[in-house]
Amino acid sequence: MEDQVHLMSAHIGLTGLSQEDAGDPDDIRKHPNFGQPQQHFGDILQQIMAITEERLDEAQARKHALNYHRMKPALFSVLCEMKEKTALSIRGIQEEEPPDPQIMRLDNMLLAEGVAGPERGGASAAAAAVAAAAGGSPDDGNFEDADYREKLAQIRQIYHTELEKYEQACSEFTNHVTNLLREQSRTRPTSPKENERLVEIIHRKFSAIQLQLKQSTCEAVMILRSRFLDARRKRRNFSKQAIEILNEYFYSHLANPYPSEKAKEELAKKCSITVSQVANWFGNKRIRYKKNILKFQEEANLYVMKTAVDAASVSSQTSQATSPATPNSGCWWLAGQ
DNA sequence: AATTATGATTTCCT
DNA sequence: AGGAAATCATAATT
């Protein structure tokens, strides 16, 4: 019995410490309660702060754990299977749509105008523009044409830089999405079809943006065209001087008023007009001269006189081709009458 | 306003 | 291709 009491007391004694602590009515005063909550909140705050940093690691750890779970491969394959099935139904919905006819139209137009596609005489146009800007050389008389080409080149440049920008952004974005998808493919099944679809969606979005660029470019070209081409269409008479030169050549070569390409170039240069204008002039002149020679007799005599005087002043012999007053044997103006 | 002159364009031919 | 012829569109003239 005694032993038992001892044992018990001993046992009690073991727990006595806690009993004493809790039992002491002064305990509350000995450990002031005011300090306790402060420390507590501090801990909580710290924990909260820590969460923001720990979560990622935790998540990574959880992900890692999942990835290496022994059931993972099996479950993953099941997932893949399910995905295949749903993808099949999705695949059925999307079909190959023909390229937007509107875009096609715009593309064709831009191509036709030389805005898109390879540099169509772009270098020469730029050179002409530069030459015109440099000193307005009387070389090429058609300033309007040069101006037009310069403006067109400008539009073309803007168009190309913008297009390039868009393309770059598009490929960048596509790359990004592809990378993202690849990243995701580690935790969820992704099919190449899915990637394809996403890329296609991206391209569609970007081409919608490009459509606007193309539209505005087309508009600009149209405006330029209506401004310049129509202005060019308005006929301007050649200068008196030019007419002099042309007539001189015509009547001094009345026997064969067909200037060679070289001669045309020279005349164009002298008259400050284009070669094709020279060709036009000669075409018109020939047909109109032969339509009624009588009407042009006066003019013919005038220029024959003029060249004769010139020839006389230059050299003594005047018995050259500068004698068209006497109809030649060729008689080009009797050709198709 | 009507007519003519003239540069450009179109069509056809070779 | 390059020219003839017809035609168009506008400048110049009357």
Side-chain angles (χ1 to χ4, degrees):
Chain A
M1 203 38 171
E2 283 259 341
D3 280 13
Q4 278 189 347
V5 170
H6 274 298
L7 272 170
M8 276 183 70
S9 77
H11 185 74
I12 291 166
L14 271 173
T15 56
L17 280 170
S18 53
Q19 262 187 341
E20 197 179 56
D21 268 5
D24 196 347
D26 289 343
D27 201 35
I28 297 169
R29 267 178 284 139
K30 271 202 283 199
H31 300 270
N33 264 352
F34 317 109
Q36 190 87 358
Q38 272 187 355
Q39 231 176 350
H40 221 80
F41 287 141
D43 280 354
I44 290 171
L45 265 174
Q46 240 174 7
Q47 272 180 25
I48 288 173
M49 295 304 280
I51 279 173
T52 54
E53 279 157 22
E54 283 178 355
R55 265 300 155 102
L56 256 179
D57 289 346
E58 212 174 297
Q60 286 290 353
R62 216 172 292 163
K63 224 167 91 179
H64 191 263
L66 268 175
N67 264 334
Y68 289 88
H69 196 276
R70 62 198 158 82
M71 290 295 277
K72 193 243 174 183
L75 286 171
F76 198 77
S77 68
V78 169
L79 256 179
C80 283
E81 229 173 273
M82 285 171 68
K83 174 95 184 180
E84 262 318 292
K85 276 180 194 159
T86 52
L88 269 174
S89 60
I90 289 172
R91 232 173 276 166
I93 295 164
Q94 68 170 61
E95 10 179 302
E96 286 297 317
E97 56 182 86
D100 191 349
Q102 200 183 2
I103 281 221
M104 293 250 299
R105 208 163 49 80
L106 287 174
D107 277 341
N108 284 339
M109 191 183 149
L110 288 173
L111 211 64
E113 291 302 327
V115 174
E119 292 260 326
R120 191 184 62 176
S124 66
V130 166
S137 60
D139 233 34
D140 207 6
N142 52 346
F143 293 96
E144 286 179 11
D145 194 38
D147 209 15
Y148 172 80
R149 280 201 276 189
E150 188 200 0
K151 287 252 166 47
L152 191 68
Q154 223 172 296
I155 288 173
R156 173 199 176 84
Q157 213 237 321
I158 290 169
Y159 171 77
H160 274 126
T161 52
E162 287 296 307
L163 201 65
E164 203 183 331
K165 229 189 285 177
Y166 287 160
E167 234 130 55
Q168 200 188 327
C170 182
S171 73
E172 239 168 63
F173 195 68
T174 304
N175 252 349
H176 186 233
V177 167
T178 307
N179 282 339
L180 221 58
L181 211 60
R182 194 162 49 225
E183 186 68 31
Q184 287 197 352
S185 75
R186 285 202 280 166
T187 48
R188 72 183 182 85
T190 59
S191 60
K193 253 305 200 240
E194 197 175 342
N195 188 24
E196 234 171 75
R197 217 177 95 252
L198 277 176
V199 167
E200 205 207 317
I201 287 168
I202 293 165
H203 281 185
R204 210 162 5 198
K205 292 280 181 214
F206 270 90
S207 80
I209 297 169
Q210 282 187 1
L211 175 69
Q212 294 202 333
L213 170 68
K214 283 173 182 175
Q215 259 172 342
S216 54
T217 305
C218 267
E219 206 178 317
V221 171
M222 288 306 272
I223 288 168
L224 189 69
R225 246 176 172 263
S226 64
R227 172 107 46 87
F228 275 86
L229 226 57
D230 288 359
R232 196 167 37 165
R233 200 180 188 85
K234 276 190 197 293
R235 188 175 57 76
R236 301 267 321 148
N237 285 0
F238 298 150
S239 68
K240 276 278 182 222
Q241 221 180 341
I243 296 296
E244 286 277 305
I245 294 163
L246 291 167
N247 271 325
E248 235 168 77
Y249 187 96
F250 181 78
Y251 287 112
S252 65
H253 297 73
L254 198 50
N256 185 37
Y258 297 88
S260 65
E261 200 57 37
K262 196 90 192 76
K264 275 188 231 175
E265 274 169 37
E266 217 167 297
L267 283 167
K269 199 177 211 170
K270 276 202 257 183
C271 300
S272 296
I273 58 177
T274 64
V275 174
S276 65
Q277 279 179 309
V278 172
N280 282 342
W281 190 89
F282 272 89
N284 283 322
K285 191 72 184 178
R286 264 180 257 123
I287 201 76
R288 280 158 188 170
Y289 177 85
K290 101 170 186 181
K291 214 148 193 169
N292 59 347
I293 295 171
L294 284 177
K295 202 169 80 180
F296 287 92
Q297 251 353 90
E298 198 180 333
E299 190 178 67
N301 289 332
L302 199 149
Y303 280 99
V304 165
M305 210 99 81
K306 203 190 271 282
T307 51
V309 168
D310 279 358
S313 68
V314 168
S315 68
S316 54
Q317 47 185 311
T318 60
S319 62
Q320 262 199 310
T322 61
S323 55
T326 50
N328 296 63
S329 51
C331 280
W332 58 270
W333 59 82
L334 295 174
Q337 289 187 48

